[in-house]
Amino acid sequence: MKKRVAILISGGGSNMEALVRDMDERHPAEPVLVLANTANAGGLAKAAARGIPTAMVDHRPFKGDRSGFEAALTEELKKVAPDIICLAGFMRILTPEFIARWQGKMLNIHPSILPLFRGLHTHQRALEAGMAVHGCTVHEVTGELDGGPILGQAVIPVKDGDTPDDLATRLLPMEHKLYPAVLRRFAVSNREKVTLMVG
Ligand code: GRF
């Protein structure tokens, strides 16, 4: 039986698409749901175009009621019974209770070489720190924001004159290589780290 993967998004879903494209007939996992917290998530249409079930739980009515929002997320997840959850550009902070429920089954991709630059604006912060390299990390999600066990990292050079957008643009294709490579291993309980480098 293939592992069932639910992918949570908030935006364009390019990482979701990379994961879905990689889950071919020989892959140990299959996508069963793409779930967004906003109707504006362009990834919803991309998933639907690929015939993947989608759902949307708007977080705005739950302002100040994070557990209420997560209860609604859980209702959608229950319908598809995922074995693995992939956060892919999902921009909501999850409570320790939700994370505990999915501990060991939930992954995230973060655009920095963790533990450097947890949180937001990672490209800007890497430039401000004068880094010679930058990158992205796929990790298990735990109660510590961007702090769970690292499952893979990709590294890119920082070039003179780079802007944050330059880094984001150079990094995204590496994210699209890293996340699928990690999921292929994670789906068969192989936690050997994936490392990708470009010159
Ligand atoms: C990516 O930079 C990813 O690292 C971050 O969200 C950004 C957009 O991702 N988590 P996507 O195109 O929506 O997958």
Side-chain angles (χ1 to χ4, degrees):
M1 283 288 282
K2 286 179 176 263
K3 289 288 176 24
R4 299 168 60 83
V5 178
I7 305 171
L8 273 56
I9 64 169
S10 297
S14 70
N15 275 288
M16 172 277 294
E17 272 201 310
L19 291 170
V20 166
R21 270 201 311 269
D22 191 55
M23 284 189 261
D24 60 17
E25 61 286 344
R26 292 197 317 278
H27 194 288
E30 59 182 346
V32 294
L33 179 67
V34 171
L35 176 54
N37 65 291
T38 168
N40 299 331
L44 287 171
K46 293 173 186 170
R50 292 173 176 274
I52 298 164
T54 62
M56 191 283 289
V57 176
D58 190 338
H59 68 273
R60 292 172 306 178
F62 297 98
K63 191 168 173 52
D65 178 14
R66 212 182 281 278
S67 56
F69 168 61
E70 291 176 352
L73 287 181
T74 299
E75 281 313 300
E76 293 302 330
L77 290 168
K78 274 182 184 171
K79 294 174 187 172
V80 295
D83 303 299
I84 297 170
I85 292 180
C86 288
L87 306 180
F90 187 68
M91 301 307 280
R92 307 305 297 172
I93 302 286
L94 296 165
T95 64
E97 293 73 25
F98 185 92
I99 291 169
R101 181 193 186 104
W102 295 99
Q103 186 98 14
K105 299 178 179 180
M106 185 153 61
L107 305 181
N108 181 46
I109 187 161
H110 179 76
S112 79
I113 302 173
L114 291 173
L116 293 173
F117 313 126
R118 292 177 180 167
L120 299 173
H121 312 303
T122 61
H123 312 306
Q124 177 70 34
R125 291 158 63 197
L127 292 169
E128 286 167 356
M131 296 292 290
V133 293
H134 187 40
C136 56
T137 302
V138 175
H139 62 93
E140 287 189 48
V141 177
T142 64
E144 193 182 4
L145 181 69
D146 300 328
I150 289 172
L151 296 173
Q153 294 186 307
V155 179
I156 62 170
V158 177
K159 298 180 178 173
D160 288 348
D162 270 341
T163 66
D165 282 350
D166 293 331
L167 282 186
T169 302
R170 192 175 310 131
L171 185 57
L172 206 51
M174 294 303 287
E175 296 179 29
H176 299 163
K177 290 187 174 71
L178 180 67
Y179 214 164
V182 170
L183 179 59
R184 274 184 180 264
R185 291 187 182 181
F186 193 75
V188 293
S189 304
N190 173 356
R191 282 174 162 77
E192 184 188 350
K193 289 185 177 66
V194 176
T195 55
L196 303 176
M197 326 258 175
V198 289

